[in-house]
């Protein structure tokens, strides 16, 4: 197991070197300027996300689509992922994670636009879309589309099931003494009850679960930051300064260079908000929307909530707690979050455990949908049942295996998904500009685009 873990660790380090950093941030910045800062429309996006689009075609409402995407993105990356980035890259990793979210809004907008633009309608009336359809129908890159779909299916067993199951089982064992295998069995049963109902069942559960868990966690973080009030401003300064001068964080942190802070901050930022990964547009394609730009704006709000708000709050809670309580061991990302939240009397530990369990479970639900659509693209609908069974079984496996190995595999799969998706965004940027000009810059958000192509 140690040999396998070391192998994937080395692969992950190679994939997440400077080339990936340049490709990811470069795409974020390129699309931000090419599309005239779609981030400035974030409040319009939030408003659209809670409104229904009467008469629009699609399988689920825009809010249900966003809730499902948020269910998949608001997960362990927001809690354990941020702590791991801090432990390995220093407090400065929080700023890099946050910046990935800010500029990633443009990328998430672009992904949502292409998902609706190139979605197809199946004979039974379902809407299918995502980067594989944009790659095939927008660029004619069938092999690259297959490449993306394959790694999406593989990634679902990392970022979607095993990582989340491991986080839930470890948390319930360390906090409440529940054996990890018991948690694995319980989660398998609950997950099966949801995913066998299809996209509408998944969306319905996510519509109910996501607002509750996000509000619960955000309010809890605000309370903790109030309690850590005297250390909040020093934490902000330390995060900003150490992002470009890691030595300012002190010798206790492993991170000793800007590259380390940037690498882990950006990697965990992508793991959290998935901007550039290409997963969220798969469910965006199922949304009831009258044109691609409306759904693109709604999709972009997901990155705002996930990283710009929730990840930033987690980072502030952890760093302010480290400053307030010098005895916290910040060298181990797996235990850092628990130690930081555990220092807060009464509410810290319950808030962390409930937040982590609900976040992880919702992510497992959302990623099952992503994996299903990838498998359907590769092999057709007949393989759906087999995929669901294997996915549910992987949850049990994830609840009892080594966390380090799981994270390294997940990072590798993320990178392999991101590459073809980012290429499609760059090469289809002309389409993005044309559609954005047509509907957004000319103030025609209420204009219909017509139906999807038949598959």
């Amino acid at each position: 197991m140690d040999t396998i873990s070391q192998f994937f660790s080395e692969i992950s380090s190679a994939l997440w070197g400077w080339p990936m950093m340049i490709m990811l941030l470069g795409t974020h910045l390129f699309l931000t300027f090419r599309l005239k800062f779609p981030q400035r429309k974030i409040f319009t996006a939030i408003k659209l996300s809670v409104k229904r689009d009467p008469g629009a075609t699609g399988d689920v409402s825009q809010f249900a689509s966003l809730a499902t995407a948020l269910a998949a993105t608001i997960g362990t990356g927001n809690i354990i992922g941020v702590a791991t980035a801090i432990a390995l890259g220093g407090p400065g990793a929080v700023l890099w994670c946050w910046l990935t979210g800010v500029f990633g809004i443009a990328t998430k907008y672009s992904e949502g636009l292409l998902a609706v633009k190139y979605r197809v309608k199946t004979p039974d009336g379902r809407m299918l879309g995502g980067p594989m359809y944009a790659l095939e129908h927008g660029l004619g890159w069938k092999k690259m589309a297959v490449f993306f779909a394959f790694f999406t299916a593989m990634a679902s067993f990392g970022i979607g099931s095993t990582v989340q199951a491991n986080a839930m089982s470890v948390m319930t064992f360390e906090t409440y003494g529940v054996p990890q295998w018991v948690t694995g069995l319980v989660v398998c049963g609950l997950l099966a009850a949801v995913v066998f109902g299809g996209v509408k069942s998944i969306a319905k559960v996510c519509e109910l679960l996501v607002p509750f868990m996000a509000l619960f966690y955000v309010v809890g973080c605000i309370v903790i930051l109030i309690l850590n009030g005297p250390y909040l401003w020093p934490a902000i300064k330390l995060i900003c300064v150490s992002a470009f001068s890691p030595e300012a964080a002190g010798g206790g942190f492993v991170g000793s260079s800007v590259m380390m802070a940037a690498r882990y901050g950006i990697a965990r930022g992508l793991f959290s908000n998935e901007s550039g990964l290409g997963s969220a547009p798969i469910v965006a394609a199922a949304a009831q929307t009258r044109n691609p730009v409306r759904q693109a704006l709604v999709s972009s709000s997901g990155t705002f909530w996930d990283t710009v708000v929730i990840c930033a709050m987690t980072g502030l809670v952890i760093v302010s707690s480290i400053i307030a309580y010098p005895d916290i061991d910040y060298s181990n990302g797996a235990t850092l979050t628990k130690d930081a939240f555990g220092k807060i009397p009464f509410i810290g530990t319950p808030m962390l455990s409930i937040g982590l369990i609900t976040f992880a479970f919702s992510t497992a639900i959302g990623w099952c949908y992503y994996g299903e659509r990838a498998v359907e693209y590769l092999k057709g609908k007949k393989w759906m049942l087999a995929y669901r069974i294997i996915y549910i079984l992987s949850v049990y496996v994830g609840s009892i295996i080594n966390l380090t190995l799981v994270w390294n595999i997940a990072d590798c799969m993320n990178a392999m998904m991101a590459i073809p998706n980012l290429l499609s965004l760059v090469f289809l940027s002309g389409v993005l500009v044309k559609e954005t000009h047509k509907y957004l810059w000319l103030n025609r958000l209420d204009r219909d685009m017509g139906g999807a192509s038949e598959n």
Side-chain angles (χ1 to χ4, degrees), residues 63 67 70 74 205-217:
F63 179 74
L70 280 174
I74 301 179
V205 172
C206 292
E207 277 187 292
L208 297 173
L209 182 60
V210 169
F212 161 77
M213 71 182 195
L215 182 62
F216 174 83
Y217 186 75

Side-chain angles (χ1 to χ4, degrees), residues 51-53 59-66 207 286-288 295:
K51 292 175 61 178
R52 287 194 175 274
D53 202 352
D59 300 331
V60 296
S61 69
Q62 288 182 313
F63 179 74
S65 171
L66 174 63
E207 277 187 292
Q288 296 166 348
Q295 182 55 37

Side-chain angles (χ1 to χ4, degrees), residues 246 412 451:
C412 291

Side-chain angles (χ1 to χ4, degrees), residues 38-49 297 300-301 304-305:
Q39 292 90 336
R40 59 194 173 89
K41 296 292 185 179
I42 192 61
F43 293 109
T44 300
I46 294 171
K47 183 179 178 181
L48 287 174
S49 70
L297 289 169
S300 72
S301 68
F304 172 80
W305 293 120

Side-chain angles (χ1 to χ4, degrees), residues 8-18 21 85 88-89 93 96 257-269 408 411:
F8 279 103
S9 177
E10 292 176 359
I11 296 296
S12 175
S13 296
L15 288 172
W16 286 104
W18 275 116
M21 298 299 171
L88 296 174
W96 287 105
S257 68
V258 173
M259 178 59 185
M260 290 289 284
R263 179 203 162 189
Y264 287 105
I266 293 172
R268 295 309 175 211
N408 286 330
D411 277 346

Side-chain angles (χ1 to χ4, degrees), residues 396-419:
Y396 179 78
V397 175
S399 67
I400 58 176
I401 63 175
N402 181 272
L403 180 65
T404 302
L405 173 61
V406 172
W407 278 104
N408 286 330
I409 293 176
D411 277 346
C412 291
M413 296 300 103
N414 285 357
M416 299 307 290
M417 285 179 64
I419 292 170

Side-chain angles (χ1 to χ4, degrees), residues 64-320:
S65 171
L66 174 63
T68 304
L70 280 174
T73 54
I74 301 179
T76 56
N78 297 86
I79 302 178
I80 296 177
V82 173
T84 303
I86 293 172
L88 296 174
V94 176
L95 180 61
W96 287 105
C97 181
W98 186 80
L99 287 173
T100 300
V102 171
F103 291 108
I105 289 174
T107 300
K108 187 63 72 71
Y109 166 90
S110 302
E111 291 173 327
L113 193 158
L114 294 181
V116 177
K117 173 70 176 177
Y118 294 107
R119 69 183 181 181
V120 299
K121 189 174 183 179
T122 64
D124 59 359
R126 294 176 300 121
M127 292 291 188
L128 301 179
M132 51 277 206
Y133 294 91
L135 286 163
E136 179 181 355
H137 300 299
L139 292 169
W141 294 358
K142 176 66 175 179
K143 290 183 179 179
M144 191 67 79
V146 170
F147 181 89
F148 173 85
F150 173 78
F151 279 103
T152 298
M154 293 299 99
S156 70
F157 296 110
I159 187 175
S161 60
T162 52
V163 165
Q164 312 306 326
N166 189 281
M168 286 186 280
S169 65
V170 170
M171 176 58 67
T172 53
F173 174 74
E174 293 182 348
T175 306
Y176 305 107
V178 179
Q180 291 180 232
W181 66 270
V182 172
T183 300
L185 288 177
V186 171
V187 174
C188 283
L190 293 174
L191 186 63
V194 177
V195 301
F196 279 105
V199 62
K200 292 185 178 180
S201 173
I202 291 172
K204 185 176 181 180
V205 172
C206 292
E207 277 187 292
L208 297 173
L209 182 60
V210 169
F212 161 77
M213 71 182 195
L215 182 62
F216 174 83
Y217 186 75
V218 168
V219 171
C221 284
I222 291 173
V223 172
I224 292 176
L225 291 175
I226 291 174
L227 294 174
N228 285 355
Y231 307 98
L232 181 57
W233 181 243
I236 293 173
K237 290 197 296 184
L238 180 60
I239 288 171
C240 293
V241 172
S242 60
F244 304 100
S245 178
E247 292 78 8
F253 288 97
V254 176
S256 58
S257 68
V258 173
M259 178 59 185
M260 290 289 284
R263 179 203 162 189
Y264 287 105
I266 293 172
R268 295 309 175 211
L270 174 59
F271 187 92
S272 172
N273 64 57
E274 299 173 17
S275 293
L277 192 62
S279 54
I282 296 175
V283 71
Q288 296 166 348
T289 184
R290 68 185 69 183
N291 63 61
V293 172
R294 286 178 72 95
Q295 182 55 37
L297 289 169
V298 172
S299 294
S300 72
S301 68
T303 298
F304 172 80
W305 293 120
D306 179 271
T307 306
V308 178
V309 176
I310 295 179
C311 279
M313 284 191 160
T314 302
L316 286 173
V317 166
I318 293 174
V319 176
S320 64

